[in-house]
Amino acid sequence: MARKTGSHSEITGPRIRAEAQRLFARHGFAAVSMRQIAAAVGVQAGALYLYTPDKEALLFDLLKTHMDGLLAAWAEEPKGEGARARLEAFVRFHIRYNLERAEAVFLSYMELRNLGPENFAVIEGLRKTYETELEAILKAGQAEGVFDLPDSKLATMAIIAMLTGVNTWFRAGGRLSRETVEAIYWDMVRKAVSA
Amino acid sequence: MARKTGSHSEITGPRIRAEAQRLFARHGFAAVSMRQIAAAVGVQAGALYLYTPDKEALLFDLLKTHMDGLLAAWAEEPKGEGARARLEAFVRFHIRYNLERAEAVFLSYMELRNLGPENFAVIEGLRKTYETELEAILKAGQAEGVFDLPDSKLATMAIIAMLTGVNTWFRAGGRLSRETVEAIYWDMVRKAVSA
DNA sequence: GTCTATACAGAGATAGAC
DNA sequence: GTCTATCTCTGTATAGAC
């Protein structure tokens, strides 16, 4: 049998990551084989190893790319003046950005345990950096006197868990638009932290 | 080589479930082999099939048992009078019950996708039943005029996500006791839904 | 850069001895 | 009820042809 094609390195790399992300999110990292990924891309299993040293590195690449993108996007997000405006910006940004990347978000908190210690620490560090962004807003609001929080750490974890939870039930075209959901969650968050 | 021992059927069944839960929670369902479970119990892999028809049934049994226990425990929980007291009871119950069963909780929302459609539907139904308990409290509070919610469905999902999130960071012996965490979360929930 | 072919380990599950 | 032994399939990863 003849080989099917020639060189496609510029397109194959991104396609491998895209299919891997889709399959990992759907079935779980451990349940997906390199053969499955290769079949989805349309290459042989062996060919994947031209683009990644191993399966874990493929997962790490997906998680790292996602977290880097999240932090970069938040850095560029318009935030307004004052802790209250910044908190509203955070709430709306988190819901919107995560809903637009449901698979990557799902992976980032479900498949962390499949990373080795070094890779795990990198992703955890980025996550911590993101959480610190929110905590800084909450602390600033407390200093300004517009928020009243029993504990800024717990409030940070509570708000992020609540916002990320939207991904588990939201469906585009459902009862509520994303903008409406953003507004409702902002209302709940605003009340929960207000003085 | 001689066999190690005789009959242990009354003790082996529960031990298999206990070790499976521990291993599934730690490494993920797909990453754990029947041989690993058998080794942890101290029997041979083939012996597991005297207690479960297959690996998925073992997972389903764990999830089903957990959800049944959760619903039964909530049914027996003292709740007090009025929506506000009932909501506080729910918040504290959810945090306490879930923290005491971290492995089972983790499995119940991480490994659902490893169930076949019928088993999946059973667990989803139980989860839905539990969510409806909270939503009923929120609706009652709205009728009583003590809560002000833009949307009872979203508030339900937001509160459950926020409360369940405690399991991801709480460590016994850490900065805050479980009771303190309960109180702080109740404070945030109370403010978020209050009129 | 991709292919075929394959090495090697480990998976889930079953059969039959004891 | 548990064991050993084994079937069959699938896993990750590599070697070497083209």
Side-chain angles (χ1 to χ4, degrees):
Chain A
M1 280 199 221
R3 289 163 48 214
K4 281 216 204 88
T5 61
S7 166
H8 294 292
S9 73
E10 283 165 21
I11 190 93
T12 304
R15 286 204 57 209
I16 289 173
R17 285 184 283 277
E19 295 294 343
Q21 175 158 293
R22 192 178 60 82
L23 289 166
F24 289 163
R26 191 158 307 178
H27 308 291
F29 174 78
V32 173
S33 71
M34 295 298 266
R35 285 200 234 278
Q36 274 178 272
I37 299 168
V41 173
V43 300
Q44 296 294 318
L48 299 183
Y49 292 88
L50 298 169
Y51 301 92
T52 182
D54 56 31
K55 196 186 177 192
E56 184 193 323
L58 188 50
L59 175 63
F60 177 70
D61 184 55
L62 294 172
L63 301 193
K64 178 76 161 57
T65 301
H66 171 67
M67 292 307 297
D68 286 344
L70 174 72
L71 287 169
W74 170 243
E76 292 186 13
E77 183 78 0
K79 301 181 183 71
E81 286 293 321
R84 211 183 128 107
R86 289 172 66 87
L87 183 57
E88 177 170 2
F90 185 92
V91 167
R92 291 181 179 274
F93 167 79
H94 188 95
I95 291 175
R96 169 172 48 80
Y97 194 88
N98 283 358
L99 278 181
E100 284 168 352
R101 290 157 186 84
E103 286 175 349
V105 172
F106 196 67
L107 283 188
S108 292
Y109 81 101
M110 296 280 276
E111 305 294 356
L112 262 179
R113 60 178 157 190
N114 292 298
L115 297 178
E118 304 85 356
N119 285 342
F120 179 88
V122 171
I123 303 298
E124 271 294 291
L126 293 171
R127 181 196 303 275
K128 190 80 202 145
T129 301
Y130 184 67
E131 289 170 4
T132 304
E133 291 285 317
L134 172 57
E135 196 183 355
I137 295 172
L138 295 177
K139 282 178 168 168
Q142 218 163 7
E144 290 175 22
V146 296
F147 298 160
D148 179 24
L149 303 161
D151 188 288
S152 68
K153 213 91 177 166
L154 262 65
T156 300
M157 300 311 284
I159 291 170
I160 286 185
M162 178 173 146
L163 298 180
T164 305
V166 173
N167 272 47
T168 63
W169 56 263
F170 185 86
R171 294 297 171 262
R175 182 167 64 90
L176 302 168
S177 72
R178 196 202 68 213
E179 287 81 4
T180 305
V181 172
E182 283 178 21
I184 292 175
Y185 270 72
W186 163 235
D187 184 64
M188 291 189 283
V189 169
R190 180 184 55 74
K191 286 162 71 181
V193 304
S194 66
Chain B
M1 284 198 218
R3 288 161 48 212
K4 280 218 206 88
T5 61
S7 165
H8 292 292
S9 73
E10 283 166 21
I11 191 94
T12 305
R15 285 205 57 210
I16 288 172
R17 284 185 283 279
E19 294 294 343
Q21 176 158 292
R22 191 179 61 82
L23 288 167
F24 289 164
R26 189 158 308 178
H27 307 291
F29 174 77
V32 173
S33 70
M34 295 297 267
R35 284 179 172 82
Q36 274 178 274
I37 298 168
V41 173
V43 299
Q44 295 296 318
L48 299 183
Y49 292 89
L50 297 169
Y51 301 92
T52 182
D54 55 31
K55 195 186 178 193
E56 183 193 323
L58 188 50
L59 175 63
F60 176 70
D61 185 54
L62 294 172
L63 301 194
K64 177 77 161 57
T65 300
H66 172 67
M67 292 307 296
D68 286 343
L70 175 71
L71 287 168
W74 169 243
E76 293 187 11
E77 184 79 359
K79 302 180 183 73
E81 286 293 320
R84 210 183 128 107
R86 289 172 67 87
L87 183 57
E88 177 171 2
F90 185 92
V91 167
R92 292 182 180 273
F93 167 80
H94 187 95
I95 290 175
R96 169 172 49 80
Y97 194 88
N98 283 357
L99 278 182
E100 285 169 351
R101 289 158 187 82
E103 286 176 349
V105 172
F106 196 66
L107 283 187
S108 291
Y109 81 100
M110 295 281 276
E111 304 294 357
L112 263 179
R113 59 180 158 190
N114 292 297
L115 297 178
E118 305 85 357
N119 285 341
F120 180 88
V122 171
I123 304 298
E124 270 295 291
L126 293 171
R127 180 194 305 273
K128 190 79 201 146
T129 300
Y130 184 66
E131 289 170 5
T132 304
E133 290 285 317
L134 172 57
E135 196 183 355
I137 294 171
L138 296 177
K139 282 179 168 168
Q142 218 163 6
E144 290 175 21
V146 296
F147 298 160
D148 179 24
L149 304 160
D151 188 287
S152 68
K153 214 90 176 168
L154 262 66
T156 300
M157 301 310 285
I159 291 170
I160 286 184
M162 177 173 148
L163 299 180
T164 305
V166 173
N167 272 48
T168 63
W169 57 263
F170 184 86
R171 295 297 170 262
R175 183 168 62 90
L176 302 169
S177 72
R178 197 203 69 212
E179 287 80 2
T180 305
V181 172
E182 284 178 21
I184 292 174
Y185 270 72
W186 163 234
D187 185 62
M188 289 190 284
V189 170
R190 180 183 56 73
K191 286 162 70 181
V193 304
S194 67

mmCIF file of all heavy atoms in Angstrom, chain B residues 136-177:
data_model
loop_
_atom_site.group_PDB
_atom_site.id
_atom_site.type_symbol
_atom_site.label_atom_id
_atom_site.label_comp_id
_atom_site.label_asym_id
_atom_site.label_seq_id
_atom_site.Cartn_x
_atom_site.Cartn_y
_atom_site.Cartn_z
ATOM 1 N N ALA B 136 -36.920 23.923 46.148
ATOM 2 C CA ALA B 136 -38.203 24.070 46.863
ATOM 3 C C ALA B 136 -38.063 25.037 48.033
ATOM 4 O O ALA B 136 -38.967 25.844 48.303
ATOM 5 C CB ALA B 136 -38.675 22.701 47.349
ATOM 6 N N ILE B 137 -36.932 24.961 48.721
ATOM 7 C CA ILE B 137 -36.696 25.890 49.835
ATOM 8 C C ILE B 137 -36.633 27.327 49.320
ATOM 9 O O ILE B 137 -37.234 28.242 49.893
ATOM 10 C CB ILE B 137 -35.381 25.536 50.568
ATOM 11 C CG1 ILE B 137 -35.498 24.175 51.254
ATOM 12 C CG2 ILE B 137 -35.020 26.614 51.582
ATOM 13 C CD1 ILE B 137 -34.178 23.651 51.814
ATOM 14 N N LEU B 138 -35.924 27.511 48.212
ATOM 15 C CA LEU B 138 -35.779 28.864 47.667
ATOM 16 C C LEU B 138 -37.118 29.426 47.219
ATOM 17 O O LEU B 138 -37.438 30.598 47.464
ATOM 18 C CB LEU B 138 -34.779 28.846 46.499
ATOM 19 C CG LEU B 138 -33.342 28.461 46.872
ATOM 20 C CD1 LEU B 138 -32.458 28.395 45.629
ATOM 21 C CD2 LEU B 138 -32.758 29.434 47.890
ATOM 22 N N LYS B 139 -37.919 28.585 46.584
ATOM 23 C CA LYS B 139 -39.241 29.049 46.134
ATOM 24 C C LYS B 139 -40.144 29.377 47.322
ATOM 25 O O LYS B 139 -40.894 30.356 47.288
ATOM 26 C CB LYS B 139 -39.892 27.972 45.261
ATOM 27 C CG LYS B 139 -39.345 27.937 43.837
ATOM 28 C CD LYS B 139 -40.018 26.825 43.034
ATOM 29 C CE LYS B 139 -39.714 26.932 41.543
ATOM 30 N NZ LYS B 139 -40.127 25.701 40.831
ATOM 31 N N ALA B 140 -40.064 28.540 48.341
ATOM 32 C CA ALA B 140 -40.880 28.797 49.533
ATOM 33 C C ALA B 140 -40.489 30.134 50.163
ATOM 34 O O ALA B 140 -41.352 30.912 50.590
ATOM 35 C CB ALA B 140 -40.708 27.654 50.534
ATOM 36 N N GLY B 141 -39.184 30.381 50.196
ATOM 37 C CA GLY B 141 -38.714 31.632 50.780
ATOM 38 C C GLY B 141 -39.165 32.847 49.978
ATOM 39 O O GLY B 141 -39.432 33.920 50.534
ATOM 40 N N GLN B 142 -39.249 32.659 48.702
ATOM 41 C CA GLN B 142 -39.715 33.741 47.847
ATOM 42 C C GLN B 142 -41.209 34.003 48.107
ATOM 43 O O GLN B 142 -41.637 35.157 48.185
ATOM 44 C CB GLN B 142 -39.502 33.368 46.376
ATOM 45 C CG GLN B 142 -39.070 34.539 45.537
ATOM 46 C CD GLN B 142 -38.469 34.088 44.214
ATOM 47 O OE1 GLN B 142 -38.478 32.910 43.885
ATOM 48 N NE2 GLN B 142 -37.953 35.028 43.455
ATOM 49 N N ALA B 143 -41.952 32.909 48.262
ATOM 50 C CA ALA B 143 -43.383 33.042 48.553
ATOM 51 C C ALA B 143 -43.597 33.710 49.909
ATOM 52 O O ALA B 143 -44.516 34.513 50.077
ATOM 53 C CB ALA B 143 -44.050 31.663 48.518
ATOM 54 N N GLU B 144 -42.722 33.371 50.863
ATOM 55 C CA GLU B 144 -42.822 33.981 52.190
ATOM 56 C C GLU B 144 -42.364 35.440 52.196
ATOM 57 O O GLU B 144 -42.608 36.166 53.164
ATOM 58 C CB GLU B 144 -41.945 33.216 53.190
ATOM 59 C CG GLU B 144 -42.441 31.823 53.539
ATOM 60 C CD GLU B 144 -41.448 31.079 54.438
ATOM 61 O OE1 GLU B 144 -40.621 31.754 55.101
ATOM 62 O OE2 GLU B 144 -41.478 29.840 54.462
ATOM 63 N N GLY B 145 -41.647 35.810 51.136
ATOM 64 C CA GLY B 145 -41.147 37.179 51.067
ATOM 65 C C GLY B 145 -39.818 37.397 51.771
ATOM 66 O O GLY B 145 -39.363 38.530 51.897
ATOM 67 N N VAL B 146 -39.189 36.312 52.233
ATOM 68 C CA VAL B 146 -37.893 36.490 52.910
ATOM 69 C C VAL B 146 -36.708 36.400 51.947
ATOM 70 O O VAL B 146 -35.609 36.845 52.271
ATOM 71 C CB VAL B 146 -37.703 35.470 54.055
ATOM 72 C CG1 VAL B 146 -38.744 35.694 55.145
ATOM 73 C CG2 VAL B 146 -37.774 34.036 53.537
ATOM 74 N N PHE B 147 -36.909 35.804 50.775
ATOM 75 C CA PHE B 147 -35.852 35.740 49.763
ATOM 76 C C PHE B 147 -36.238 36.594 48.563
ATOM 77 O O PHE B 147 -37.423 36.771 48.259
ATOM 78 C CB PHE B 147 -35.647 34.304 49.266
ATOM 79 C CG PHE B 147 -35.204 33.332 50.323
ATOM 80 C CD1 PHE B 147 -35.376 31.959 50.125
ATOM 81 C CD2 PHE B 147 -34.602 33.754 51.507
ATOM 82 C CE1 PHE B 147 -34.977 31.043 51.085
ATOM 83 C CE2 PHE B 147 -34.195 32.840 52.472
ATOM 84 C CZ PHE B 147 -34.395 31.488 52.264
ATOM 85 N N ASP B 148 -35.223 37.078 47.891
ATOM 86 C CA ASP B 148 -35.465 37.797 46.645
ATOM 87 C C ASP B 148 -34.495 37.247 45.597
ATOM 88 O O ASP B 148 -33.307 37.551 45.628
ATOM 89 C CB ASP B 148 -35.256 39.299 46.832
ATOM 90 C CG ASP B 148 -35.479 40.054 45.531
ATOM 91 O OD1 ASP B 148 -36.204 39.528 44.653
ATOM 92 O OD2 ASP B 148 -34.924 41.162 45.386
ATOM 93 N N LEU B 149 -35.018 36.432 44.699
ATOM 94 C CA LEU B 149 -34.176 35.751 43.720
ATOM 95 C C LEU B 149 -34.590 36.120 42.314
ATOM 96 O O LEU B 149 -35.774 36.048 41.979
ATOM 97 C CB LEU B 149 -34.357 34.234 43.859
ATOM 98 C CG LEU B 149 -34.099 33.654 45.230
ATOM 99 C CD1 LEU B 149 -34.778 32.306 45.355
ATOM 100 C CD2 LEU B 149 -32.615 33.531 45.439
ATOM 101 N N PRO B 150 -33.627 36.444 41.482
ATOM 102 C CA PRO B 150 -33.968 36.688 40.081
ATOM 103 C C PRO B 150 -34.448 35.405 39.392
ATOM 104 O O PRO B 150 -35.293 35.452 38.509
ATOM 105 C CB PRO B 150 -32.669 37.191 39.461
ATOM 106 C CG PRO B 150 -31.610 36.996 40.472
ATOM 107 C CD PRO B 150 -32.216 36.694 41.783
ATOM 108 N N ASP B 151 -33.901 34.249 39.838
ATOM 109 C CA ASP B 151 -34.232 32.994 39.158
ATOM 110 C C ASP B 151 -33.924 31.835 40.107
ATOM 111 O O ASP B 151 -32.756 31.620 40.458
ATOM 112 C CB ASP B 151 -33.409 32.878 37.866
ATOM 113 C CG ASP B 151 -33.846 31.699 37.011
ATOM 114 O OD1 ASP B 151 -33.548 30.539 37.397
ATOM 115 O OD2 ASP B 151 -34.488 31.925 35.974
ATOM 116 N N SER B 152 -34.935 31.082 40.493
ATOM 117 C CA SER B 152 -34.715 30.051 41.512
ATOM 118 C C SER B 152 -33.855 28.896 40.987
ATOM 119 O O SER B 152 -33.100 28.272 41.730
ATOM 120 C CB SER B 152 -36.056 29.509 42.030
ATOM 121 O OG SER B 152 -36.718 28.786 41.026
ATOM 122 N N LYS B 153 -33.972 28.607 39.702
ATOM 123 C CA LYS B 153 -33.161 27.550 39.093
ATOM 124 C C LYS B 153 -31.670 27.903 39.155
ATOM 125 O O LYS B 153 -30.832 27.087 39.552
ATOM 126 C CB LYS B 153 -33.573 27.379 37.618
ATOM 127 C CG LYS B 153 -33.481 25.964 37.124
ATOM 128 C CD LYS B 153 -34.780 25.259 37.360
ATOM 129 C CE LYS B 153 -34.823 23.859 36.808
ATOM 130 N NZ LYS B 153 -36.024 23.168 37.343
ATOM 131 N N LEU B 154 -31.349 29.109 38.714
ATOM 132 C CA LEU B 154 -29.955 29.534 38.722
ATOM 133 C C LEU B 154 -29.412 29.645 40.130
ATOM 134 O O LEU B 154 -28.262 29.286 40.396
ATOM 135 C CB LEU B 154 -29.803 30.883 37.998
ATOM 136 C CG LEU B 154 -29.345 30.752 36.550
ATOM 137 C CD1 LEU B 154 -30.410 30.058 35.732
ATOM 138 C CD2 LEU B 154 -28.989 32.095 35.962
ATOM 139 N N ALA B 155 -30.249 30.138 41.034
ATOM 140 C CA ALA B 155 -29.798 30.247 42.419
ATOM 141 C C ALA B 155 -29.492 28.861 42.971
ATOM 142 O O ALA B 155 -28.506 28.662 43.684
ATOM 143 C CB ALA B 155 -30.867 30.945 43.261
ATOM 144 N N THR B 156 -30.319 27.881 42.622
ATOM 145 C CA THR B 156 -30.081 26.502 43.050
ATOM 146 C C THR B 156 -28.724 26.013 42.572
ATOM 147 O O THR B 156 -27.909 25.507 43.354
ATOM 148 C CB THR B 156 -31.175 25.570 42.496
ATOM 149 O OG1 THR B 156 -32.447 25.991 42.991
ATOM 150 C CG2 THR B 156 -30.926 24.135 42.907
ATOM 151 N N MET B 157 -28.476 26.160 41.284
ATOM 152 C CA MET B 157 -27.211 25.680 40.728
ATOM 153 C C MET B 157 -26.030 26.448 41.304
ATOM 154 O O MET B 157 -24.976 25.866 41.591
ATOM 155 C CB MET B 157 -27.220 25.818 39.201
ATOM 156 C CG MET B 157 -28.333 25.049 38.508
ATOM 157 S SD MET B 157 -28.465 23.321 39.020
ATOM 158 C CE MET B 157 -27.063 22.615 38.170
ATOM 159 N N ALA B 158 -26.204 27.744 41.476
ATOM 160 C CA ALA B 158 -25.110 28.567 42.008
ATOM 161 C C ALA B 158 -24.760 28.152 43.432
ATOM 162 O O ALA B 158 -23.584 27.998 43.778
ATOM 163 C CB ALA B 158 -25.504 30.044 41.969
ATOM 164 N N ILE B 159 -25.769 27.952 44.250
ATOM 165 C CA ILE B 159 -25.522 27.608 45.650
ATOM 166 C C ILE B 159 -24.886 26.223 45.760
ATOM 167 O O ILE B 159 -23.917 26.026 46.502
ATOM 168 C CB ILE B 159 -26.837 27.673 46.467
ATOM 169 C CG1 ILE B 159 -27.283 29.130 46.585
ATOM 170 C CG2 ILE B 159 -26.652 27.040 47.848
ATOM 171 C CD1 ILE B 159 -28.678 29.300 47.162
ATOM 172 N N ILE B 160 -25.411 25.261 45.009
ATOM 173 C CA ILE B 160 -24.835 23.921 45.105
ATOM 174 C C ILE B 160 -23.383 23.905 44.617
ATOM 175 O O ILE B 160 -22.515 23.281 45.238
ATOM 176 C CB ILE B 160 -25.701 22.898 44.336
ATOM 177 C CG1 ILE B 160 -26.981 22.626 45.139
ATOM 178 C CG2 ILE B 160 -24.935 21.596 44.093
ATOM 179 C CD1 ILE B 160 -27.893 21.566 44.564
ATOM 180 N N ALA B 161 -23.095 24.595 43.537
ATOM 181 C CA ALA B 161 -21.717 24.639 43.035
ATOM 182 C C ALA B 161 -20.795 25.276 44.062
ATOM 183 O O ALA B 161 -19.689 24.786 44.329
ATOM 184 C CB ALA B 161 -21.664 25.412 41.721
ATOM 185 N N MET B 162 -21.260 26.353 44.640
ATOM 186 C CA MET B 162 -20.467 27.061 45.640
ATOM 187 C C MET B 162 -20.186 26.168 46.849
ATOM 188 O O MET B 162 -19.042 26.081 47.324
ATOM 189 C CB MET B 162 -21.285 28.290 46.052
ATOM 190 C CG MET B 162 -20.722 29.135 47.121
ATOM 191 S SD MET B 162 -21.825 30.611 47.233
ATOM 192 C CE MET B 162 -21.666 30.933 48.980
ATOM 193 N N LEU B 163 -21.198 25.487 47.340
ATOM 194 C CA LEU B 163 -21.038 24.633 48.524
ATOM 195 C C LEU B 163 -20.169 23.417 48.226
ATOM 196 O O LEU B 163 -19.300 23.043 49.012
ATOM 197 C CB LEU B 163 -22.408 24.174 49.030
ATOM 198 C CG LEU B 163 -23.380 25.262 49.477
ATOM 199 C CD1 LEU B 163 -24.685 24.638 49.957
ATOM 200 C CD2 LEU B 163 -22.773 26.141 50.558
ATOM 201 N N THR B 164 -20.418 22.787 47.096
ATOM 202 C CA THR B 164 -19.645 21.589 46.753
ATOM 203 C C THR B 164 -18.174 21.945 46.562
ATOM 204 O O THR B 164 -17.290 21.127 46.811
ATOM 205 C CB THR B 164 -20.216 20.931 45.496
ATOM 206 O OG1 THR B 164 -21.613 20.675 45.699
ATOM 207 C CG2 THR B 164 -19.516 19.614 45.195
ATOM 208 N N GLY B 165 -17.935 23.179 46.136
ATOM 209 C CA GLY B 165 -16.565 23.630 45.923
ATOM 210 C C GLY B 165 -15.712 23.568 47.180
ATOM 211 O O GLY B 165 -14.482 23.489 47.093
ATOM 212 N N VAL B 166 -16.324 23.593 48.323
ATOM 213 C CA VAL B 166 -15.559 23.514 49.575
ATOM 214 C C VAL B 166 -14.678 22.270 49.587
ATOM 215 O O VAL B 166 -13.540 22.299 50.062
ATOM 216 C CB VAL B 166 -16.499 23.512 50.808
ATOM 217 C CG1 VAL B 166 -15.722 23.247 52.091
ATOM 218 C CG2 VAL B 166 -17.236 24.842 50.909
ATOM 219 N N ASN B 167 -15.205 21.184 49.038
ATOM 220 C CA ASN B 167 -14.450 19.922 49.016
ATOM 221 C C ASN B 167 -13.111 20.028 48.292
ATOM 222 O O ASN B 167 -12.210 19.238 48.548
ATOM 223 C CB ASN B 167 -15.281 18.827 48.360
ATOM 224 C CG ASN B 167 -16.167 18.105 49.360
ATOM 225 O OD1 ASN B 167 -16.854 18.746 50.147
ATOM 226 N ND2 ASN B 167 -16.147 16.781 49.339
ATOM 227 N N THR B 168 -12.985 20.972 47.374
ATOM 228 C CA THR B 168 -11.755 21.045 46.588
ATOM 229 C C THR B 168 -10.595 21.671 47.359
ATOM 230 O O THR B 168 -9.445 21.467 46.994
ATOM 231 C CB THR B 168 -11.950 21.844 45.283
ATOM 232 O OG1 THR B 168 -12.281 23.191 45.612
ATOM 233 C CG2 THR B 168 -13.054 21.228 44.443
ATOM 234 N N TRP B 169 -10.896 22.447 48.387
ATOM 235 C CA TRP B 169 -9.787 23.119 49.090
ATOM 236 C C TRP B 169 -9.736 22.850 50.586
ATOM 237 O O TRP B 169 -8.698 23.034 51.213
ATOM 238 C CB TRP B 169 -9.836 24.630 48.841
ATOM 239 C CG TRP B 169 -11.122 25.267 49.242
ATOM 240 C CD1 TRP B 169 -12.174 25.559 48.411
ATOM 241 C CD2 TRP B 169 -11.528 25.667 50.555
ATOM 242 N NE1 TRP B 169 -13.210 26.111 49.134
ATOM 243 C CE2 TRP B 169 -12.833 26.191 50.458
ATOM 244 C CE3 TRP B 169 -10.932 25.637 51.817
ATOM 245 C CZ2 TRP B 169 -13.549 26.672 51.552
ATOM 246 C CZ3 TRP B 169 -11.637 26.117 52.916
ATOM 247 C CH2 TRP B 169 -12.933 26.632 52.768
ATOM 248 N N PHE B 170 -10.853 22.433 51.175
ATOM 249 C CA PHE B 170 -10.862 22.273 52.627
ATOM 250 C C PHE B 170 -9.952 21.133 53.079
ATOM 251 O O PHE B 170 -9.973 20.055 52.501
ATOM 252 C CB PHE B 170 -12.276 22.005 53.135
ATOM 253 C CG PHE B 170 -12.359 21.920 54.643
ATOM 254 C CD1 PHE B 170 -12.527 23.058 55.406
ATOM 255 C CD2 PHE B 170 -12.255 20.696 55.293
ATOM 256 C CE1 PHE B 170 -12.595 22.993 56.797
ATOM 257 C CE2 PHE B 170 -12.320 20.615 56.685
ATOM 258 C CZ PHE B 170 -12.487 21.768 57.437
ATOM 259 N N ARG B 171 -9.160 21.417 54.118
ATOM 260 C CA ARG B 171 -8.336 20.371 54.728
ATOM 261 C C ARG B 171 -8.557 20.405 56.227
ATOM 262 O O ARG B 171 -8.402 21.467 56.851
ATOM 263 C CB ARG B 171 -6.844 20.590 54.422
ATOM 264 C CG ARG B 171 -6.457 20.460 52.958
ATOM 265 C CD ARG B 171 -6.689 19.060 52.410
ATOM 266 N NE ARG B 171 -6.538 19.024 50.947
ATOM 267 C CZ ARG B 171 -7.563 19.073 50.095
ATOM 268 N NH1 ARG B 171 -8.806 19.156 50.539
ATOM 269 N NH2 ARG B 171 -7.365 19.028 48.800
ATOM 270 N N ALA B 172 -8.899 19.270 56.796
ATOM 271 C CA ALA B 172 -9.081 19.201 58.243
ATOM 272 C C ALA B 172 -7.784 19.606 58.927
ATOM 273 O O ALA B 172 -6.693 19.238 58.494
ATOM 274 C CB ALA B 172 -9.487 17.785 58.640
ATOM 275 N N GLY B 173 -7.890 20.384 59.966
ATOM 276 C CA GLY B 173 -6.706 20.851 60.667
ATOM 277 C C GLY B 173 -6.099 22.096 60.053
ATOM 278 O O GLY B 173 -5.020 22.532 60.459
ATOM 279 N N GLY B 174 -6.764 22.655 59.059
ATOM 280 C CA GLY B 174 -6.267 23.862 58.406
ATOM 281 C C GLY B 174 -6.631 25.124 59.186
ATOM 282 O O GLY B 174 -6.982 25.051 60.368
ATOM 283 N N ARG B 175 -6.596 26.244 58.479
ATOM 284 C CA ARG B 175 -6.801 27.550 59.117
ATOM 285 C C ARG B 175 -8.171 27.668 59.784
ATOM 286 O O ARG B 175 -8.317 28.290 60.834
ATOM 287 C CB ARG B 175 -6.621 28.637 58.039
ATOM 288 C CG ARG B 175 -6.734 30.052 58.524
ATOM 289 C CD ARG B 175 -6.262 31.034 57.446
ATOM 290 N NE ARG B 175 -7.053 30.983 56.222
ATOM 291 C CZ ARG B 175 -8.137 31.743 56.014
ATOM 292 N NH1 ARG B 175 -8.537 32.606 56.915
ATOM 293 N NH2 ARG B 175 -8.799 31.654 54.881
ATOM 294 N N LEU B 176 -9.187 27.085 59.132
ATOM 295 C CA LEU B 176 -10.559 27.242 59.619
ATOM 296 C C LEU B 176 -11.195 25.888 59.928
ATOM 297 O O LEU B 176 -10.988 24.922 59.194
ATOM 298 C CB LEU B 176 -11.398 27.961 58.556
ATOM 299 C CG LEU B 176 -10.907 29.344 58.119
ATOM 300 C CD1 LEU B 176 -11.665 29.807 56.883
ATOM 301 C CD2 LEU B 176 -11.061 30.348 59.245
ATOM 302 N N SER B 177 -11.965 25.840 60.970
ATOM 303 C CA SER B 177 -12.701 24.606 61.277
ATOM 304 C C SER B 177 -13.877 24.461 60.328
ATOM 305 O O SER B 177 -14.309 25.421 59.689
ATOM 306 C CB SER B 177 -13.218 24.656 62.711
ATOM 307 O OG SER B 177 -14.288 25.580 62.802
#
